[in-house]
């Protein structure tokens, strides 16, 4: 399709031409925001180059935002969590400086692991999802899964002769987030399949896990001591370990709200 070109377009004709061109070139942000940017350009007396730069940067910024949203959606997080929403004062076991350093994602760039260890309600899953979200926003491919769900998927894939394909799919993402590792005992087959995924990713792509058990208690999940030791080795070598403690800040927060309600009623 060729757009008609002529000098002296009316404002209405120019707007129509811009709208059509943006549709053809797939520039939705410029199409949606052109009038506002044009009005601002007149008010601020922008040069033609400045006006063009403003238009193009608007499109680039919006495309980057949409890509981040797609990566976050593809990660499969069960809910939204952010570092900004985490109350570091409520859990002094978690060092804010360490977490914010992790948010730079250098550890993912270096293919290093991350372990979040602590009791329920201490912020492990929040940290896991929030750091995974930060990684997705910075352009990394992220996948979130529960440990039991991952193992069940691997067992089904093995039964259907699709194991190599499934392991390769989990091996390709830049960051694999495994939540609730240690909540349930895994049989030998399940543990071995999980070990294959970790081996596929070793020193090539990062793994982040959240567990309610200290490493010493992992023998309840991985009943073969040698396999358990090998898995711990895969998840800790050159990695970061954050112990979130034993005191549930969620429970403490609930108690505080109940006490506050009682005093005000």
């Amino acid at each position: 399709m060729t757009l008609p070109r002529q000098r002296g377009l009316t404002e209405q004709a120019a707007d129509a031409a811009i709208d059509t061109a943006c549709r053809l070139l797939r520039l939705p942000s410029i199409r949606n925001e052109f009038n506002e940017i044009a009005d601002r350009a007149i008010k601020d007396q922008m040069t033609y180059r400045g006006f063009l730069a403003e238009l193009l940067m608007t499109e680039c910024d919006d495309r980057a935002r949409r890509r981040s949203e797609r990566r976050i959606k593809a990660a499969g997080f069960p809910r939204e969590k952010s570092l900004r929403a985490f109350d570091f004062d409520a859990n002094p076991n978690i060092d804010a400086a360490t977490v914010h350093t992790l948010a730079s994602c250098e550890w993912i760039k270096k293919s290093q692991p991350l372990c979040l260890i602590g009791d329920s309600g201490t912020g492990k899953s929040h940290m896991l999802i929030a750091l995974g979200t930060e990684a997705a926003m910075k352009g990394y491919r992220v996948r979130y899964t529960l440990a039991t769900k991952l193992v069940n998927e691997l067992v089904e894939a093995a039964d259907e002769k699709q194991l190599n394909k499934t392991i390769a799919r989990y091996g390709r993402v830049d960051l694999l987030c495994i939540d609730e590792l240690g909540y349930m005992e895994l049989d030998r087959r399940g543990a071995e399949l999980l070990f294959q995924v970790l081996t596929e990713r070793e020193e090539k792509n990062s793994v982040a896990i959240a567990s309610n058990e200290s490493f010493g208690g992992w023998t309840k999940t991985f009943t073969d001591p040698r396999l358990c030791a090998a898995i711990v080795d895969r998840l800790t070598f050159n990695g970061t370990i954050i112990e979130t403690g034993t005191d549930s800040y969620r429970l403490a927060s609930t108690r505080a709200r109940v006490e506050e309600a009682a005093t005000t009623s």
Side-chain angles (χ1 to χ4, degrees), residues 221-241:
T221 300
F222 308 104
T223 54
D224 182 323
R226 293 180 63 184
L227 183 59
C228 180
I231 288 174
V232 171
D233 180 69
R234 295 289 190 280
L235 291 174
T236 57
F237 181 67
N238 283 335
T240 300
I241 300 171

Side-chain angles (χ1 to χ4, degrees), residues 18-200:
I18 292 167
D19 185 87
T20 301
C22 287
R23 289 176 186 273
L24 287 173
L25 296 172
R26 298 181 181 178
L27 302 172
S29 300
I30 291 179
R31 176 173 170 264
N32 293 332
E33 300 186 40
F34 172 80
N35 285 323
E36 180 181 340
I37 295 173
D39 291 343
R40 189 165 66 246
I42 294 172
K43 180 180 178 181
D44 296 344
Q45 296 183 328
M46 288 184 188
T47 64
Y48 291 130
R49 285 187 175 86
F51 176 46
L52 177 59
E54 187 76 14
L55 286 174
L56 295 177
M57 291 308 299
T58 295
E59 189 67 43
C60 289
D61 289 346
D62 200 46
R63 288 190 181 190
R65 178 187 58 79
R66 293 198 301 271
R67 283 195 298 270
S68 292
E69 290 174 351
R70 288 195 296 270
R71 285 191 297 268
I72 291 171
K73 184 177 180 180
F77 298 120
R79 51 199 171 274
E80 291 185 12
K81 294 291 181 182
S82 68
L83 295 181
R84 186 172 55 255
F86 189 81
D87 187 357
F88 287 97
D89 293 332
N91 189 346
N93 292 299
I94 301 177
D95 181 58
T98 298
V99 172
H100 289 305
T101 297
L102 290 169
S104 71
C105 297
E106 276 297 308
W107 61 287
I108 301 175
K109 185 177 180 180
K110 296 176 182 177
S111 303
Q112 295 173 341
L114 168 66
C115 296
L116 299 158
I117 311 292
D119 282 2
S120 296
T122 56
K124 303 183 307 300
S125 292
H126 188 137
M127 282 288 116
L128 189 68
I129 295 171
L131 288 171
T133 300
E134 289 289 329
M137 291 172 63
K138 287 180 171 60
Y140 292 99
R141 294 166 298 174
V142 182
R143 179 66 183 170
Y144 170 97
T145 183
L146 298 177
T148 51
K149 182 179 179 181
L150 173 57
V151 169
N152 289 338
E153 184 178 349
L154 293 170
V155 170
E156 290 177 6
D159 291 340
E160 297 171 3
K161 311 298 183 185
Q162 297 290 318
L163 181 60
N164 289 340
K165 182 178 179 180
T166 302
I167 290 177
R169 175 159 49 82
Y170 278 105
R172 283 192 296 268
V173 296
D174 301 305
L175 173 62
L176 176 60
C177 300
I178 305 177
D179 205 354
E180 297 187 0
L181 185 63
Y183 277 75
M184 295 182 65
E185 179 182 324
L186 301 177
D187 61 23
R188 183 177 179 84
R189 187 188 185 202
E192 288 176 346
L193 292 173
L194 178 58
F195 179 70
Q196 287 186 50
V197 171
L198 299 179
T199 300
E200 175 71 18

